[in-house]
């Protein structure tokens, strides 16, 4: 009965996958369309009946002997020589994912190359009785004598090193969006992927489709180039159903972002959620869960509800309650899926703006920074204020909070004075105000004693904390005491030292105080206004050292 129903549906041009996915329990193959792919197979093996005329259609086949799961089953069967262009019965067997699916011309079918896919299948002639001939994977290496093209070396890409992020796209696969706009959504995602620059040292991307139940289409670890990711997005099928965006966000937060699925240490975790219209479920709780997992949630709202539709929306403030921070940075609105090219670059810039990804544990919210400020007589009150502005320029990049980045300041001459400790202030605004209120001391210069004092009072009390410790020393002259010994002790204590010299500061002392490598932790300017140009390098250096420590 099932076979006759499915056969009738094929004749009508309709393919019901749920019928085709349960054929392994009986001897009779179930009719399928030419377009059925291996990834539609949910069991270890299946018997199917391919229709005639598949060679007249544009079917995608990837590999030789072992085929990527996105390949057409019937196309692969013709390529393998299991059936002819007139169709026939085929036995499928699901296999693990492979690398280097080769491009081979065989039986009038040209297969394509693919560097990697998460699952595979093999095809063999259908036998009415007994087990399949073999369950062992066949080698993908084509025989040189066969005259077929050998497999190509897969593309490798280091990616955009200025945009290190682990990104999950949550695409809308609900009835709200429909098949046509779903395809436009996939096109926009591929544009974003191309501009991101996927690579081993750049952003990594995975994707979850949201509908009645969330479905992970591929993980962060699955693809290492923008080309492969774009292809994987193109092959995604529309699910339909309710727009349970909250369920998809929670699924991704709890199950997607794991080390086993490709999450990297010290790299920001980002979730880009596309919503066509409004969600069917409540996404506030899901947003809380995502933030607890340190995930930066962006909401891309397309065709938001009109005023007359707001009565149908469960929570009109759903965007503000789901994003990482309700500060407009994490919300993005497009009026329709048409003409989306202009939105690509601004969105990519946001995703790559690490200093604004506040919900991840990154260098911007996982460091302790103490500033050692020269208050000696040679500095002068005006230049002292320039030094404070320099410090504020550095701090602006960091997210200061009671659970984030912490900042302390110490002014020194022959004596030392703690202006404020690492735990004294819980907001950036409080730190900035405290810096503005610092009074210039004036006196001699004992930098070595100041380093010892800073390590003892700033870093030793928090040596078991999770944040990485940094000390930034700014001085304009010769120290009257030894700096090499105290600096070495600070290095041994796990404190990374950036040394900034101005005017008459001896370059030898500046280098002795700095951490290794000296050239990236030592800075010098002839005049105090030159400090302004050094600030971005200090910020980048802190982030570089933080990321290196996470490896």
């Amino acid at each position: 009965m099932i076979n006759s129903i499915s056969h009738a549906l094929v004749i009508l041009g309709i393919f019901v996958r749920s019928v085709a996915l349960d054929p392994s329990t009986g001897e009779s193959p179930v009719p399928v369309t030419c377009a059925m792919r291996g990834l539609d197979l949910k069991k270890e093996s299946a018997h199917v009946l391919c229709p005639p005329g598949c060679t007249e259609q544009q079917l995608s086949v990837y590999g030789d002997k072992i085929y990527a799961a996105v390949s057409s089953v019937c196309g692969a069967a013709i390529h393998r020589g299991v059936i002819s262009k007139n169709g026939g019965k085929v036995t499928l067997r699901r296999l693990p994912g492979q690398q280097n699916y080769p491009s081979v011309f065989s039986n009038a079918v040209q297969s394509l190359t693919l560097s990697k896919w998460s699952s595979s299948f093999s095809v063999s002639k259908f036998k009415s009785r007994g087990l399949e001939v073999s369950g062992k994977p066949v080698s993908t290496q084509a025989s040189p004598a066969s005259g077929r093209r050998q497999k190509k070396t897969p593309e490798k890409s280091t990616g955009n090193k200025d945009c290190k992020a682990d990104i999950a796209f949550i695409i809308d696969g609900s009835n709200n969006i429909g098949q046509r706009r779903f395809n436009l959504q996939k096109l926009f995602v591929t544009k974003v992927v191309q501009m991101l620059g996927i690579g081993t040292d750049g952003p990594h991307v995975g994707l979850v489709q949201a509908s009645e139940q969330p479905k992970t289409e591929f993980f962060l670890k699955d693809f290492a180039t923008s080309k492969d990711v774009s292809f994987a997005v193109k092959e995604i099928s529309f699910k339909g159903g309710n727009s349970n965006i909250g369920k998809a966000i929670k699924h991704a937060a709890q199950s997607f972002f794991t080390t086993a699925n490709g999450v990297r240490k010290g790299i920001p975790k980002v979730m880009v959620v596309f919503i066509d219209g409004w969600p069917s479920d409540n996404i506030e709780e899901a947003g809380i869960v995502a933030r607890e997992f340190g995930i930066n949630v962006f909401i891309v709202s397309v065709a938001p509800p009109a005023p007359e539709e707001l009565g149908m929306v469960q929570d009109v403030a759903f965007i503000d309650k789901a994003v990482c921070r309700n500060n407009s940075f994490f919300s993005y609105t497009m009026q329709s899926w048409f003409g989306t090219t202009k939105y690509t670059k601004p969105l990519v810039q946001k995703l790559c703006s690490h200093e604004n990804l506040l919900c991840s544990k990154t260098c911007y919210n996982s460091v302790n920074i103490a500033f050692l400020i020269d208050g000696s007589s040679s500095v002068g009150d005006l230049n002292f204020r320039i030094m404070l502005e320099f410090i504020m320029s550095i701090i602006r990049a960091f997210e200061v909070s009671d659970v984030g980045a912490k900042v302390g300041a110490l002014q020194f001459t022959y004596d030392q004075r703690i202006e404020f400790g690492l735990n004294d202030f819980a907001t950036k605004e409080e730190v900035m105000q405290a810096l503005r209120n610092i009074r210039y001391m004036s006196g001699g210069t004992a930098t070595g004693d100041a380093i010892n004092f800073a390590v003892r009072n700033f870093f030793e009390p928090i040596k078991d904390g999770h944040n990485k410790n940094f000390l930034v020393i700014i001085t304009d002259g010769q120290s009257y005491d030894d700096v090499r010994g105290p600096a070495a002790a600070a290095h041994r204590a796990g404190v990374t030292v950036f040394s900034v010299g101005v005017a008459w500061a001896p370059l030898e002392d500046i280098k002795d105080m700095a951490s290794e490598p000296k050239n990236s932790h030592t800075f010098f300017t002839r005049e105090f206004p030159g400090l302004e140009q050094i600030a971005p390098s200090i910020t980048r250096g802190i982030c570089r050292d933080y990321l290196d420590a996470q490896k």
Side-chain angles (χ1 to χ4, degrees):
M1 180 64 179
I2 290 176
N3 287 340
S4 62
I5 292 173
S6 60
H7 182 66
L9 290 173
V10 171
I11 292 174
L12 292 171
I14 303 170
F15 173 56
V16 180
R17 286 187 176 145
S18 60
V19 175
L21 299 184
D22 192 26
S24 59
T25 56
E27 289 291 331
S28 298
V30 173
V32 297
T33 65
C34 298
M36 177 188 173
R37 302 173 299 174
L39 57 80
D40 299 320
L41 172 67
K42 302 303 180 186
K43 296 194 175 184
E44 294 302 315
S45 63
H47 310 303
V48 300
L49 177 62
C50 291
C54 288
T55 54
E56 299 173 5
Q57 301 183 26
Q58 290 186 339
L59 303 176
S60 299
V61 178
Y62 300 88
D64 178 42
K65 301 178 183 176
I66 292 181
Y67 300 93
V70 287
S71 300
S72 159
V73 170
C74 297
I78 297 171
H79 182 270
R80 186 77 175 93
V82 172
I83 60 173
S84 69
K85 64 180 181 180
N86 296 322
K89 301 173 182 179
V90 180
T91 294
L92 250 72
R93 190 169 190 83
R94 190 168 63 177
L95 298 172
Q98 304 282 325
Q99 294 191 11
N100 307 337
Y101 294 94
S103 172
V104 173
F105 183 80
S106 178
N107 297 308
V109 176
Q110 176 67 63
S111 70
L112 305 173
T113 186
L114 186 62
S115 61
K116 185 179 180 182
W117 196 259
S118 56
S119 59
S120 312
F121 68 89
S122 63
V123 290
S124 59
K125 291 185 178 180
F126 171 77
K127 293 191 175 184
S128 59
R129 294 184 180 277
L131 298 174
E132 283 141 356
V133 176
S134 173
K136 296 181 180 179
V138 184
S139 171
T140 58
Q141 178 66 50
S143 170
S146 68
R148 297 174 179 175
R149 286 187 289 173
Q150 302 299 301
K151 61 185 178 182
K152 300 177 182 178
T153 303
E155 292 184 23
K156 292 183 179 179
S157 172
T158 56
N160 181 5
K161 295 182 180 180
D162 294 326
C163 184
K164 287 189 175 182
D166 289 336
I167 304 172
F169 288 106
I170 312 296
I171 63 172
D172 192 336
S174 69
N175 291 335
N176 283 5
I177 193 169
Q179 180 71 66
R180 184 188 183 196
R181 296 203 302 274
F182 181 78
N183 291 335
L184 292 173
Q185 175 185 217
K186 291 198 298 179
L187 180 60
F188 178 67
V189 171
T190 59
K191 291 177 184 176
V192 174
V193 165
Q194 293 292 338
M195 188 169 287
L196 279 171
I198 310 301
T200 53
D201 296 331
H204 291 186
V205 166
L207 191 144
V208 173
Q209 184 176 174
S211 58
E212 192 72 38
Q213 297 294 333
K215 178 186 178 185
T216 299
E217 301 289 354
F218 55 88
F219 291 108
L220 296 164
K221 65 180 181 180
D222 287 345
F223 305 108
T225 68
S226 293
K227 179 180 177 182
D228 286 346
V229 172
S230 297
F231 172 77
V233 173
K234 178 183 175 183
E235 292 298 309
I236 295 171
S237 299
F238 174 61
K239 287 189 67 179
N242 285 330
S243 179
N244 289 333
I245 301 294
K247 189 179 290 186
I249 293 174
K250 192 178 294 186
H251 163 78
Q254 296 173 333
S255 305
F256 182 92
F257 284 104
T258 66
T259 303
N261 292 335
V263 168
R264 297 168 290 175
K265 283 187 176 180
I267 302 298
K269 292 179 287 187
V270 176
M271 192 186 299
V272 184
V273 183
F274 294 94
I275 303 178
D276 188 291
W278 57 89
S280 302
D281 59 350
N282 190 321
I283 63 176
E284 180 178 8
E285 181 184 350
I288 294 172
V289 172
R291 289 191 290 274
E292 288 175 347
F293 277 86
I295 299 168
N296 297 274
V297 176
F298 287 80
I299 297 291
V300 179
S301 176
V302 184
E308 62 271 16
E309 297 174 319
L310 292 177
M312 297 182 285
V313 182
Q314 188 177 136
D315 186 348
V316 295
F318 64 88
I319 294 177
D320 295 342
K321 294 178 180 179
V323 292
C324 169
R325 293 286 193 277
N326 181 18
N327 59 3
S328 76
F329 179 80
F330 293 92
S331 54
Y332 202 66
T333 301
M334 301 190 300
Q335 292 306 311
S336 77
W337 289 110
F338 296 96
T340 57
T341 301
K342 62 184 178 182
Y343 297 107
T344 307
K345 186 175 180 180
L347 178 58
V348 170
Q349 288 174 334
K350 287 191 174 192
L351 301 182
C352 296
S353 180
H354 288 183
E355 66 273 17
N356 292 312
L357 301 181
L358 307 181
C359 286
S360 288
K361 284 295 181 181
T362 69
C363 63
Y364 298 103
N365 59 15
S366 299
V367 294
N368 300 317
I369 310 172
F371 291 89
L372 218 57
I373 311 167
D374 188 343
S376 62
S377 301
S378 58
V379 173
D381 188 73
L382 178 60
N383 290 332
F384 185 78
R385 293 295 145 190
I386 292 176
M387 281 200 293
L388 296 182
E389 285 295 331
F390 165 69
I391 293 170
M392 285 188 273
S393 296
I394 297 172
I395 294 171
R396 285 189 185 97
F398 296 91
E399 182 65 13
V400 180
S401 72
D402 56 343
V403 294
K406 299 179 185 299
V407 177
L410 182 149
Q411 185 179 176
F412 69 95
T413 56
Y414 284 143
D415 298 315
Q416 304 86 34
R417 184 173 78 198
I418 294 178
E419 302 295 351
F420 53 89
L422 293 170
N423 291 309
D424 286 354
F425 301 115
T427 69
K428 189 186 304 183
E429 291 72 25
E430 290 175 327
V431 170
M432 295 295 198
Q433 189 57 48
L435 283 166
R436 296 186 189 99
N437 292 338
I438 292 177
R439 292 175 289 105
Y440 174 48
M441 289 174 64
S442 187
T445 309
T447 313
D449 282 347
I451 294 172
N452 285 332
F453 188 89
V455 172
R456 187 167 60 250
N457 289 276
F458 282 143
F459 300 116
E460 285 186 1
I462 57 170
K463 61 182 179 181
D464 295 325
H466 297 294
N467 286 8
K468 182 169 174 56
N469 295 323
F470 293 88
L471 180 64
V472 180
I473 304 171
I474 312 115
T475 182
D476 83 324
Q478 173 89 45
S479 177
Y480 289 98
D481 61 358
D482 173 63
V483 296
R484 184 177 298 178
H491 301 160
R492 288 194 299 271
V495 179
T496 300
V497 178
F498 286 86
S499 185
V500 181
V502 187
W504 302 280
L507 189 57
E508 184 177 350
D509 282 3
I510 299 302
K511 287 184 175 180
D512 285 341
M513 291 187 291
S515 293
E516 296 287 351
K518 300 292 185 181
N519 63 345
S520 61
H521 292 83
T522 303
F523 299 88
F524 181 81
T525 177
R526 289 288 180 188
E527 298 178 343
F528 280 90
L531 288 171
E532 181 182 0
Q533 297 177 355
I534 296 174
S537 298
I538 298 288
T539 302
R540 287 193 297 269
I542 289 173
C543 283
R544 178 197 60 232
D545 290 347
Y546 173 85
L547 290 173
D548 287 345
Q550 305 305 306
K551 294 179 181 178

